[in-house]
Amino acid sequence: MTEKVNKETLVKGAFLEGDPRGGAFRFVVEPFTEDYTGRLAWHFLGNHLLRCASLHAGLRGFGYEDMQKAHHAWVLSRLSVQLEEMPRTGEEYVIETWVARIYRQFTDRHYAITGADGRVYGYAASTWALIDVDTRLPMDLDTLPDGGFTDAVIDREAPIPGFARIRLTPQATVAKRHDVVYTDLDINGHVNSIRYIEMMLDLFPADRFAATPVRRLDVAYNAESHFGDSLELITDTARDGREQVEIRKAGGGPVVKAAIGFAS
Amino acid sequence: MTEKVNKETLVKGAFLEGDPRGGAFRFVVEPFTEDYTGRLAWHFLGNHLLRCASLHAGLRGFGYEDMQKAHHAWVLSRLSVQLEEMPRTGEEYVIETWVARIYRQFTDRHYAITGADGRVYGYAASTWALIDVDTRLPMDLDTLPDGGFTDAVIDREAPIPGFARIRLTPQATVAKRHDVVYTDLDINGHVNSIRYIEMMLDLFPADRFAATPVRRLDVAYNAESHFGDSLELITDTARDGREQVEIRKAGGGPVVKAAIGFAS
């Protein structure tokens, strides 16, 4: 017998109410994509958020391949995710994404993650820069020759607080060291953006994720890391209870900073 | 706009020629599922092999849920994968799987991994035991009340050499230690079978995977490991050039043994 593995069907964007400037992509939580609590693993949610950014940008004419022709590349600068809950095995979810803002060297892309029945799993907001791949300098998005990019902006925001500042105290300590390995790398040859999130979650005991799942994540991407790099994971707990983590190259500057908000 | 993420279509099993006792499942290599060389990552191929076993068994009436009712569970004992090549981003591949043999406490499930144009990516063979979840003892599959299980056997073998023996020399040394972390765990609460493969691949420099991709993998699963376990990864190189790895609980017995054959 022959079977389709993903039972994909077309859905209408729920949050955007079918606005053609946005994109809505349907997923099912497949077995073997969950964490040990039976909920979608961050690995998959995170990579699906990046994938939807790429799909939506490609459909609108400013995707990876379009940018490559102009020697430009999108670089993720910040990511905030706020969840009511993670979907469970077999549950369907729709990731809606749209360009919410363009300002000088940055653009904000927002997300809504909802269930088939209109249930809200959560929202996300991300900030991207467009760099010149030759000079590695960011482009001024306000003065770019416009190929429909500004037309894509939808004046709507994901209803979550803005990026939460991450400021480690001088008391922060090195909790772990990690030498970059083969499976950390993505097709760009650097450590995958979502892999850093996994490294940071892995600083905490597994049972904490069952008792108090992660509800909020703020990640700032400062620099790339590559095979051969030795990383230090430095942590402390903020006054408001959020766990702060900085990933630094040994003897070098910060690569990623994050704040993790476990349910209380 | 609203788009389907996976453009799934029904395909006919190529290798099994539509034999209804087998299963054929179609996948596409999605962006963000590759390794840094642009080929499907082992993480995804491995989990898709397990997923297809689960899907096929479920469709034939001896899947996870059917077994759970009888207080039985399938346990992976051995896995061999031999590849001509890994599919690249955007390429479609079909995983065909069937029960090739039943003998006492074990059953062999074989796989063919082919492209849409009939191209062979590779084959795999796996050995499973059915355990009683209360006693943890393996069942004798020859004497089980049969619910169509023996009817599923197809007298055909994946055309690859059998499981390759793994025998570390006394010179084998501890290459790395790994404390089990949250993202290692799957929904059963133990370290995911494919995660061990990633841990073992990560013992080798990234550039080796570009120059000489892994062509053959043999893995024997001896015991489970859980959060809190400290693992030792012990390695040596066999006379025939295969890299041998044993993962052992610190101060305990072997968990997984494997041999990795890089292209020469």
Side-chain angles (χ1 to χ4, degrees):
Chain A
M1 68 190 81
T2 307
E3 292 286 322
K4 292 185 285 183
V5 173
N6 292 299
K7 291 173 200 76
E8 298 290 338
T9 54
L10 278 168
V11 289
K12 238 189 138 171
F15 186 74
L16 299 172
E17 290 155 8
D19 189 319
R21 296 169 297 168
F25 306 93
R26 182 183 163 284
F27 295 87
V28 177
V29 182
E30 301 281 349
F32 301 100
T33 67
E34 320 95 337
D35 72 359
Y36 90 98
T37 73
R39 305 269 186 176
L40 182 66
W42 279 91
H43 172 81
F44 289 93
L45 179 67
N47 277 315
H48 288 166
L49 293 175
L50 299 186
R51 172 93 173 109
C52 288
S54 171
L55 281 167
H56 172 254
L59 289 165
R60 297 291 312 183
F62 47 86
Y64 178 77
E65 287 174 14
D66 306 287
M67 293 300 111
Q68 208 175 21
K69 282 175 205 154
H71 283 251
H72 297 159
W74 290 113
V75 174
L76 180 61
S77 172
R78 285 174 170 188
L79 177 66
S80 296
V81 183
Q82 187 157 323
L83 295 177
E84 299 287 321
E85 59 171 325
M86 275 281 197
R88 289 176 186 278
T89 317
E91 287 181 354
E92 299 179 3
Y93 62 101
V94 173
I95 296 180
E96 290 173 273
T97 183
W98 66 99
V99 179
R101 205 177 151 212
I102 300 172
Y103 50 111
R104 299 201 174 222
Q105 296 174 349
F106 295 103
T107 173
D108 287 346
R109 167 181 291 285
H110 286 203
Y111 297 90
I113 308 157
T114 53
D117 54 357
R119 176 183 0 184
V120 172
Y121 289 115
Y123 298 97
S126 57
T127 300
W128 301 73
L130 188 67
I131 63 160
D132 181 298
V133 292
D134 300 321
T135 65
R136 308 300 289 178
L137 291 174
M139 316 293 300
D140 189 335
L141 297 173
D142 287 331
T143 61
L144 267 187
D146 196 299
F149 185 40
T150 50
D151 290 349
V153 176
I154 296 179
D155 184 24
R156 184 161 197 172
E157 301 221 330
I160 56 173
F163 187 82
R165 217 189 174 89
I166 300 148
R167 192 177 283 167
L168 276 77
T169 68
Q171 285 72 48
T173 52
V174 176
K176 203 171 189 173
R177 293 173 205 279
H178 175 78
D179 294 330
V180 173
V181 289
Y182 162 64
T183 63
D184 291 337
L185 307 175
D186 68 18
I187 196 167
N188 299 308
H190 57 219
V191 174
N192 173 261
S193 308
I194 307 306
R195 185 72 195 95
Y196 292 116
I197 296 176
E198 293 190 292
M199 286 180 203
M200 295 188 288
L201 297 178
D202 282 339
L203 295 172
F204 303 96
D207 56 7
R208 188 160 175 185
F209 296 87
T212 56
V214 173
R215 292 284 179 250
R216 171 86 189 195
L217 197 62
D218 292 279
V219 191
Y221 295 94
N222 297 103
E224 298 180 326
S225 66
H226 300 90
F227 188 80
D229 285 334
S230 271
L231 304 177
E232 294 176 343
L233 287 84
I234 299 159
T235 58
D236 71 5
T237 305
R239 283 195 196 158
D240 61 6
R242 291 179 306 147
E243 302 290 356
Q244 301 189 124
V245 186
E246 182 176 319
I247 300 181
R248 202 181 282 174
K249 279 185 206 174
V255 175
V256 176
K257 286 183 187 185
I260 302 166
F262 287 90
S264 52
Chain B
M1 67 192 83
T2 307
E3 292 287 322
K4 292 184 285 184
V5 173
N6 292 299
K7 292 172 200 77
E8 296 291 337
T9 54
L10 279 168
V11 289
K12 239 189 136 170
F15 185 74
L16 299 172
E17 289 155 8
D19 188 318
R21 295 169 297 170
F25 306 95
R26 184 183 162 284
F27 297 87
V28 177
V29 182
E30 301 281 350
F32 301 99
T33 67
E34 320 96 338
D35 72 0
Y36 89 98
T37 74
R39 305 270 185 174
L40 181 66
W42 279 92
H43 172 80
F44 289 93
L45 178 68
N47 277 314
H48 287 167
L49 293 175
L50 299 186
R51 171 92 171 108
C52 288
S54 171
L55 281 167
H56 172 253
L59 290 166
R60 297 291 312 184
F62 46 87
Y64 178 76
E65 287 174 14
D66 307 287
M67 292 300 109
Q68 209 175 21
K69 282 175 204 154
H71 284 251
H72 297 160
W74 289 114
V75 174
L76 180 61
S77 171
R78 286 175 169 186
L79 176 66
S80 298
V81 183
Q82 187 158 323
L83 296 176
E84 299 287 321
E85 58 172 325
M86 275 282 198
R88 288 176 188 278
T89 317
E91 288 181 351
E92 299 179 4
Y93 62 101
V94 174
I95 296 180
E96 292 173 271
T97 184
W98 66 99
V99 179
R101 205 176 151 211
I102 299 172
Y103 50 111
R104 299 199 173 222
Q105 297 176 348
F106 295 103
T107 174
D108 287 347
R109 167 180 293 285
H110 286 202
Y111 297 90
I113 308 156
T114 53
D117 53 359
R119 177 185 356 187
V120 172
Y121 289 116
Y123 297 97
S126 58
T127 300
W128 301 74
L130 187 68
I131 63 161
D132 182 297
V133 293
D134 301 320
T135 65
R136 307 301 287 177
L137 292 174
M139 316 293 299
D140 188 335
L141 297 174
D142 287 332
T143 61
L144 269 185
D146 195 300
F149 185 40
T150 50
D151 290 349
V153 177
I154 295 180
D155 184 23
R156 187 161 195 172
E157 302 221 329
I160 56 172
F163 187 81
R165 216 188 177 91
I166 300 148
R167 192 179 283 164
L168 276 77
T169 67
Q171 284 73 48
T173 53
V174 176
K176 202 170 190 175
R177 293 172 205 278
H178 175 77
D179 293 332
V180 172
V181 290
Y182 162 63
T183 63
D184 291 336
L185 307 175
D186 68 18
I187 196 168
N188 299 307
H190 57 219
V191 175
N192 173 260
S193 308
I194 307 305
R195 185 72 195 97
Y196 292 115
I197 295 176
E198 292 190 292
M199 287 180 202
M200 294 189 287
L201 297 177
D202 281 339
L203 295 173
F204 303 96
D207 56 7
R208 189 160 174 184
F209 295 88
T212 56
V214 173
R215 291 285 178 247
R216 171 86 190 195
L217 198 63
D218 292 279
V219 191
Y221 295 94
N222 296 104
E224 298 180 327
S225 67
H226 300 90
F227 188 79
D229 285 332
S230 272
L231 304 177
E232 295 175 342
L233 287 84
I234 299 159
T235 59
D236 71 6
T237 305
R239 283 195 195 160
D240 61 5
R242 291 179 306 148
E243 302 289 357
Q244 300 189 123
V245 185
E246 182 176 319
I247 301 182
R248 203 182 281 175
K249 280 186 204 172
V255 174
V256 176
K257 286 184 187 184
I260 302 166
F262 286 91
S264 53

